[in-house]
Amino acid sequence: MDRRHFMLGTAAGALMLSAKGLAFAQDAGTVPDLNNFPRNETVIVHNPEGVIRNPGWFNLWANGGGGLSTGLQQLTADTFWYIDPDAGIPDASENAIYYSLAEGPWEYNDDFSEMTVRLRKGIMWSDGVEFTADDVVFTVEKQAATPGTGWYGAFSTQIESVTAEDPYTVHFVLKAPNSRFHTTFAVRWNAAWIMPKHVFEGVEDIVAFDNNPPVSLGPYTLHSYDPNGTWYIWEKRPDWDKTTMALVGEPKPKYVIYRNNISTDNRLIEMRNGNLDMIHDLSPEGNVLDRGARPRSPRLVPRLPLCSSRSDAADGGVQPAEPDVPGQARALGAHTHARCTGHVDGLLSRRGNPVGYLHSADRHASARLSCTDAGVPDQLRTRYRLARHQAV
């Protein structure tokens, strides 16, 4: 085979069918063709992971080599509650707790050996099937009986039985009293995500099942992905209002692109070139260069030193050491390494943190998108009384 035929064959083989289009194989760290996506409707997020070794793996409930921060968890998964380590967004949370798939708080009996959860009505999976208590019962029973699933240990050792009392009420009986059992379904970083029963009940081996394409319970569905494992593209559901996102507001971006395997040196360059909106972290030199070139690039403090002042900070979430930093800046979430160019007007997550920042305590919030109706390039704000919270 001559070189010309080899190159033609290689190019043809680079095209793979994905969820709703083509997944174009590209060199590691490159950007998908942005000409296919309106730039003012697209946010591009830096995923700090390297190359995803099994990019077609979308099974959240079994480890098959897929990525952790590709948008799958952040944009398509849901569970009962989200616990905000900060104050929460007024009118959208109660005591910094968001009632997501549950319509209210956990309900225990007197000795904490039983728990009842009342589910929200009218929530739909992306394929048009309604979310009900049957999904919850299946999630628990299937994983409790299946070693190798993510919550096998927690479910098999703690839960005696789980029943659907009606389509919107789930009752747990525990093997021993546990006043903190509800935290299994409460997100601070991770939690027990609910499985679509109608998808998995016909699967013989759920541990080997790639779940490609995934059915979404969140406001986005898979559009396409790189078979070489360097980017994932998600598209807003037409029926996003049939998800718990409707409790917060419509997510403004039509598309969310997660890019990974970008070297530290290239992250700032990619942002300058318009190929990246959010950077997970920069080197100290990159921070200095960014500050010099973009004096309004959102951050909390203009200078070092920085330190972690959060008890739950575990992976680079930093807050200012200086006590005189304005409170309105702290309200943005204190994630100094997050950067946004403002290509998508007013983009923020549910709790006011920049979209895509994968802090250990806020991973759930990094994708629960909420935006202002007015365009506010170069500023971060939410539509929930946070217009005054300007980045310094």
Side-chain angles (χ1 to χ4, degrees):
M1 179 182 295
D2 60 25
R3 183 177 184 274
R4 178 175 177 273
H5 285 86
F6 173 80
M7 294 300 292
L8 288 173
T10 301
L15 297 176
M16 294 180 60
L17 285 174
S18 182
K20 293 184 179 177
L22 296 175
F24 296 91
Q26 301 188 6
D27 293 335
T30 58
V31 66
D33 186 0
L34 295 180
N35 292 323
N36 297 325
F37 306 96
R39 194 62 183 91
N40 64 338
E41 297 181 297
T42 305
V43 62
I44 308 174
V45 178
H46 171 219
N47 171 2
E49 296 178 283
V51 174
I52 307 302
R53 299 304 177 186
N54 189 2
W57 185 268
F58 296 96
N59 186 345
L60 271 173
W61 302 275
N63 183 10
L68 297 175
S69 304
T70 62
L72 176 64
Q73 169 188 317
Q74 294 80 5
L75 298 175
T76 74
D78 210 344
T79 189
F80 297 159
W81 305 285
Y82 288 81
I83 299 178
D84 194 327
D86 292 328
I89 295 177
D91 298 334
S93 63
E94 181 177 335
N95 296 322
I97 297 172
Y98 300 94
Y99 302 136
S100 198
L101 294 178
E103 67 175 8
W106 42 90
E107 301 174 18
Y108 285 103
N109 64 347
D110 290 341
D111 69 352
F112 298 97
S113 62
E114 300 179 22
M115 184 181 77
T116 299
V117 182
R118 306 188 190 281
L119 304 178
R120 199 172 295 280
K121 301 175 182 177
I123 303 299
M124 308 297 290
W125 295 95
S126 59
D127 59 0
V129 176
E130 185 180 13
F131 159 75
T132 68
D134 289 340
D135 294 306
V136 178
V137 172
F138 178 83
T139 297
V140 173
E141 291 185 339
K142 191 66 174 179
Q143 292 192 77
T146 310
T149 53
W151 293 90
Y152 165 74
F155 290 163
S156 63
T157 59
Q158 297 186 67
I159 301 173
E160 183 66 38
S161 66
V162 56
T163 56
E165 296 186 343
D166 60 50
Y168 308 105
T169 307
V170 182
H171 184 72
F172 294 86
V173 177
L174 306 182
K175 293 184 177 181
N178 182 358
S179 62
R180 292 184 56 80
F181 173 71
H182 63 277
T183 62
T184 304
F185 297 92
V187 180
R188 286 181 295 175
W189 177 352
N190 193 19
W193 309 108
I194 305 303
M195 303 171 69
K197 177 184 177 183
H198 64 286
V199 173
F200 278 81
E201 65 181 345
V203 176
E204 182 176 352
D205 184 0
I206 66 170
V207 175
F209 179 52
D210 61 6
N211 194 36
N212 185 0
V215 174
S216 172
L217 197 54
Y220 287 80
T221 55
L222 181 67
H223 175 280
S224 53
Y225 68 95
D226 178 12
N228 285 341
T230 65
W231 51 260
Y232 291 77
I233 302 175
W234 307 87
E235 184 175 6
K236 183 169 63 175
R237 288 172 52 173
D239 63 341
W240 64 267
D241 57 336
K242 300 299 182 182
T243 72
T244 60
M245 194 68 244
L247 303 170
V248 180
E250 180 177 1
K252 194 166 186 178
K254 182 177 181 181
Y255 301 100
V256 181
I257 300 176
Y258 280 74
R259 294 183 56 202
N260 50 288
N261 198 43
I262 306 174
S263 70
T264 303
D265 292 338
N266 285 338
R267 292 168 194 170
L268 192 56
I269 296 173
E270 286 295 271
M271 176 171 279
R272 299 276 184 85
N273 291 338
N275 295 328
L276 200 60
D277 296 321
M278 294 296 307
I279 300 178
H280 180 272
D281 61 287
L282 285 172
S283 66
E285 295 81 5
N287 276 286
V288 172
L289 290 173
D290 184 32
R291 185 64 176 178
R294 295 183 52 80
R296 296 192 65 188
S297 180
R299 74 208 60 224
L300 289 181
V301 293
R303 64 190 186 281
L304 296 174
L306 300 168
C307 71
S308 172
S309 60
R310 301 174 57 141
S311 61
D312 54 2
D315 63 349
V318 292
Q319 287 188 333
E322 298 88 347
D324 58 344
V325 173
Q328 60 265 33
R330 291 195 295 273
L332 285 173
H335 299 326
T336 308
H337 288 328
R339 299 288 185 271
C340 179
T341 61
H343 285 296
V344 180
D345 296 340
L347 180 63
L348 273 184
S349 68
R350 164 182 282 191
R351 57 174 295 265
N353 293 333
V355 171
Y357 188 84
L358 303 177
H359 188 278
S360 60
D362 303 322
R363 184 168 301 224
H364 66 280
S366 67
R368 308 192 71 75
L369 312 179
S370 178
C371 307
T372 57
D373 296 325
V376 191
D378 294 325
Q379 294 181 357
L380 297 177
R381 58 178 67 180
T382 70
R383 56 186 301 180
Y384 291 97
R385 301 180 183 174
L386 290 178
R388 67 188 182 279
H389 295 164
Q390 306 291 330
V392 296

